[in-house]
Amino acid sequence: RKEVEQDPGPFNVPEGATVAFNCTYSNSASQSFFWYRQDCRKEPKLLMSVYSSGNEDGRFTAQLNRASQYISLLIRDSKLSDSATYLCVATSGGYQKVTFGIGTKLQVIP
Amino acid sequence: GAGVSQSPRYKVAKRGQDVALRCDPISGHVSLFWYQQALGQGPEFLTYFQNEAQLDKSGLPSDRFFAERPEGSVSTLKIQRTQQEDSAVYLCASSWEGTTNEQFFGPGTRLTVL
């Protein structure tokens, strides 16, 4: 079982829709969590960190559920420019080893 | 401002050749990471440096892979006797310190082994 699991998708949604992705992690000692965005043939870029209390950045909301060991990303009012792969990241271990999920591909359709 | 740079951007190697991939992190960043990303997969951790110290190399797939950061800045990932399964994008990332901070990625080196 992979340490960080995501549904690879693709998720095809119309413009303006709300879409949610989940990511589960197996290491209960994981301490920090992130969502990165990766455009096709580009490098990953940080979208947002995920805090225990949940956090929001414009149309994006991230949540952490430690009891069930998952994090989520909610995108409201989807834009064409949101089309990308969204990578879930968990860090754990003494120095906080970094583990990426496979990524969830989102395609926003006009 | 200057971000993370990697060179070469593309490398084609014949099976059995040795290759060296370079990473220039953002100036002042203490932490440096190497990842391998195969097509359709997420980045897979290879190794992590804090300054010149290699704190974790548990992700290196075999002893053909070797990484160094002798002066705590530029890093080189070397792959000896390349195999076809080594074909992937090799990403370098740096951060201010530790692994709980944002990582800034370079554009990657796309390695193709024929």
Side-chain angles (χ1 to χ4, degrees), chain A residues 25-32 66 69 91-93 96:
Chain A
Y25 60 95
S26 60
N27 188 341
S28 59
S30 296
Q31 296 187 22
S32 300
R66 286 192 184 275
Q69 295 185 200
T91 67
S92 59
Q96 299 290 311

PDB file of all heavy atoms in Angstrom, chain A residues 25-32 66 69 91-93 96:
ATOM      1  N   TYR A  25      -3.521   9.060   3.864  1.00  0.00           N
ATOM      2  CA  TYR A  25      -2.132   8.761   4.203  1.00  0.00           C
ATOM      3  C   TYR A  25      -2.106   7.643   5.239  1.00  0.00           C
ATOM      4  O   TYR A  25      -2.984   7.546   6.090  1.00  0.00           O
ATOM      5  CB  TYR A  25      -1.394  10.015   4.693  1.00  0.00           C
ATOM      6  CG  TYR A  25      -1.974  10.668   5.926  1.00  0.00           C
ATOM      7  CD1 TYR A  25      -1.491  10.375   7.193  1.00  0.00           C
ATOM      8  CD2 TYR A  25      -3.007  11.608   5.814  1.00  0.00           C
ATOM      9  CE1 TYR A  25      -2.021  10.976   8.321  1.00  0.00           C
ATOM     10  CE2 TYR A  25      -3.543  12.214   6.938  1.00  0.00           C
ATOM     11  CZ  TYR A  25      -3.050  11.892   8.191  1.00  0.00           C
ATOM     12  OH  TYR A  25      -3.580  12.485   9.307  1.00  0.00           O
ATOM     13  N   SER A  26      -1.091   6.799   5.158  1.00  0.00           N
ATOM     14  CA  SER A  26      -1.067   5.607   6.006  1.00  0.00           C
ATOM     15  C   SER A  26      -0.240   5.791   7.276  1.00  0.00           C
ATOM     16  O   SER A  26      -0.433   5.063   8.256  1.00  0.00           O
ATOM     17  CB  SER A  26      -0.526   4.414   5.222  1.00  0.00           C
ATOM     18  OG  SER A  26       0.788   4.673   4.774  1.00  0.00           O
ATOM     19  N   ASN A  27       0.677   6.747   7.275  1.00  0.00           N
ATOM     20  CA  ASN A  27       1.556   6.935   8.427  1.00  0.00           C
ATOM     21  C   ASN A  27       0.923   7.908   9.422  1.00  0.00           C
ATOM     22  O   ASN A  27       0.845   9.106   9.167  1.00  0.00           O
ATOM     23  CB  ASN A  27       2.907   7.463   7.953  1.00  0.00           C
ATOM     24  CG  ASN A  27       3.939   7.491   9.075  1.00  0.00           C
ATOM     25  OD1 ASN A  27       3.592   7.457  10.259  1.00  0.00           O
ATOM     26  ND2 ASN A  27       5.193   7.573   8.706  1.00  0.00           N
ATOM     27  N   SER A  28       0.487   7.356  10.536  1.00  0.00           N
ATOM     28  CA  SER A  28      -0.200   8.189  11.523  1.00  0.00           C
ATOM     29  C   SER A  28       0.728   9.239  12.140  1.00  0.00           C
ATOM     30  O   SER A  28       0.268  10.184  12.767  1.00  0.00           O
ATOM     31  CB  SER A  28      -0.799   7.313  12.637  1.00  0.00           C
ATOM     32  OG  SER A  28       0.231   6.573  13.265  1.00  0.00           O
ATOM     33  N   ALA A  29       2.043   9.057  11.941  1.00  0.00           N
ATOM     34  CA  ALA A  29       2.999  10.035  12.474  1.00  0.00           C
ATOM     35  C   ALA A  29       3.189  11.227  11.535  1.00  0.00           C
ATOM     36  O   ALA A  29       3.932  12.159  11.865  1.00  0.00           O
ATOM     37  CB  ALA A  29       4.348   9.354  12.718  1.00  0.00           C
ATOM     38  N   SER A  30       2.553  11.207  10.384  1.00  0.00           N
ATOM     39  CA  SER A  30       2.679  12.329   9.454  1.00  0.00           C
ATOM     40  C   SER A  30       2.267  13.616  10.145  1.00  0.00           C
ATOM     41  O   SER A  30       1.271  13.647  10.872  1.00  0.00           O
ATOM     42  CB  SER A  30       1.821  12.098   8.205  1.00  0.00           C
ATOM     43  OG  SER A  30       2.286  10.978   7.490  1.00  0.00           O
ATOM     44  N   GLN A  31       3.026  14.667   9.886  1.00  0.00           N
ATOM     45  CA  GLN A  31       2.796  15.896  10.640  1.00  0.00           C
ATOM     46  C   GLN A  31       2.388  17.089   9.785  1.00  0.00           C
ATOM     47  O   GLN A  31       1.637  17.937  10.238  1.00  0.00           O
ATOM     48  CB  GLN A  31       4.055  16.238  11.435  1.00  0.00           C
ATOM     49  CG  GLN A  31       4.390  15.208  12.493  1.00  0.00           C
ATOM     50  CD  GLN A  31       5.539  15.645  13.387  1.00  0.00           C
ATOM     51  OE1 GLN A  31       5.824  16.824  13.506  1.00  0.00           O
ATOM     52  NE2 GLN A  31       6.191  14.688  13.993  1.00  0.00           N
ATOM     53  N   SER A  32       2.938  17.165   8.586  1.00  0.00           N
ATOM     54  CA  SER A  32       2.640  18.323   7.743  1.00  0.00           C
ATOM     55  C   SER A  32       2.088  17.848   6.408  1.00  0.00           C
ATOM     56  O   SER A  32       2.492  16.799   5.905  1.00  0.00           O
ATOM     57  CB  SER A  32       3.901  19.162   7.505  1.00  0.00           C
ATOM     58  OG  SER A  32       4.420  19.624   8.716  1.00  0.00           O
ATOM     59  N   ARG A  66      -7.373  14.092  10.931  1.00  0.00           N
ATOM     60  CA  ARG A  66      -6.331  13.211  11.472  1.00  0.00           C
ATOM     61  C   ARG A  66      -6.900  11.867  11.922  1.00  0.00           C
ATOM     62  O   ARG A  66      -6.240  10.838  11.796  1.00  0.00           O
ATOM     63  CB  ARG A  66      -5.616  13.884  12.646  1.00  0.00           C
ATOM     64  CG  ARG A  66      -4.662  14.984  12.224  1.00  0.00           C
ATOM     65  CD  ARG A  66      -3.768  15.411  13.381  1.00  0.00           C
ATOM     66  NE  ARG A  66      -2.913  16.511  13.029  1.00  0.00           N
ATOM     67  CZ  ARG A  66      -1.735  16.373  12.423  1.00  0.00           C
ATOM     68  NH1 ARG A  66      -1.295  15.180  12.087  1.00  0.00           N
ATOM     69  NH2 ARG A  66      -1.002  17.434  12.139  1.00  0.00           N
ATOM     70  N   GLN A  69      -7.307  10.030   8.842  1.00  0.00           N
ATOM     71  CA  GLN A  69      -6.069  10.113   8.067  1.00  0.00           C
ATOM     72  C   GLN A  69      -6.328  10.447   6.603  1.00  0.00           C
ATOM     73  O   GLN A  69      -5.900   9.718   5.693  1.00  0.00           O
ATOM     74  CB  GLN A  69      -5.227   8.834   8.223  1.00  0.00           C
ATOM     75  CG  GLN A  69      -4.725   8.642   9.636  1.00  0.00           C
ATOM     76  CD  GLN A  69      -3.794   7.465   9.835  1.00  0.00           C
ATOM     77  OE1 GLN A  69      -3.613   6.983  10.938  1.00  0.00           O
ATOM     78  NE2 GLN A  69      -3.183   6.971   8.780  1.00  0.00           N
ATOM     79  N   THR A  91       4.376  14.751   5.132  1.00  0.00           N
ATOM     80  CA  THR A  91       5.737  14.632   5.647  1.00  0.00           C
ATOM     81  C   THR A  91       5.693  13.914   6.980  1.00  0.00           C
ATOM     82  O   THR A  91       4.784  14.120   7.789  1.00  0.00           O
ATOM     83  CB  THR A  91       6.409  16.002   5.816  1.00  0.00           C
ATOM     84  OG1 THR A  91       5.754  16.726   6.845  1.00  0.00           O
ATOM     85  CG2 THR A  91       6.355  16.793   4.526  1.00  0.00           C
ATOM     86  N   SER A  92       6.691  13.066   7.213  1.00  0.00           N
ATOM     87  CA  SER A  92       6.732  12.275   8.447  1.00  0.00           C
ATOM     88  C   SER A  92       8.166  11.888   8.747  1.00  0.00           C
ATOM     89  O   SER A  92       9.056  12.094   7.934  1.00  0.00           O
ATOM     90  CB  SER A  92       5.876  11.020   8.299  1.00  0.00           C
ATOM     91  OG  SER A  92       6.347  10.234   7.219  1.00  0.00           O
ATOM     92  N   GLY A  93       8.360  11.338   9.918  1.00  0.00           N
ATOM     93  CA  GLY A  93       9.694  10.880  10.289  1.00  0.00           C
ATOM     94  C   GLY A  93      10.453  11.933  11.044  1.00  0.00           C
ATOM     95  O   GLY A  93      10.022  13.071  11.171  1.00  0.00           O
ATOM     96  N   GLN A  96      11.114  14.602   8.923  1.00  0.00           N
ATOM     97  CA  GLN A  96       9.948  14.870   8.089  1.00  0.00           C
ATOM     98  C   GLN A  96      10.149  14.460   6.635  1.00  0.00           C
ATOM     99  O   GLN A  96      10.232  15.292   5.735  1.00  0.00           O
ATOM    100  CB  GLN A  96       9.552  16.360   8.154  1.00  0.00           C
ATOM    101  CG  GLN A  96       9.186  16.829   9.549  1.00  0.00           C
ATOM    102  CD  GLN A  96       7.877  16.240  10.015  1.00  0.00           C
ATOM    103  OE1 GLN A  96       6.890  16.265   9.316  1.00  0.00           O
ATOM    104  NE2 GLN A  96       7.871  15.659  11.214  1.00  0.00           N
TER     105      GLN A  96
END
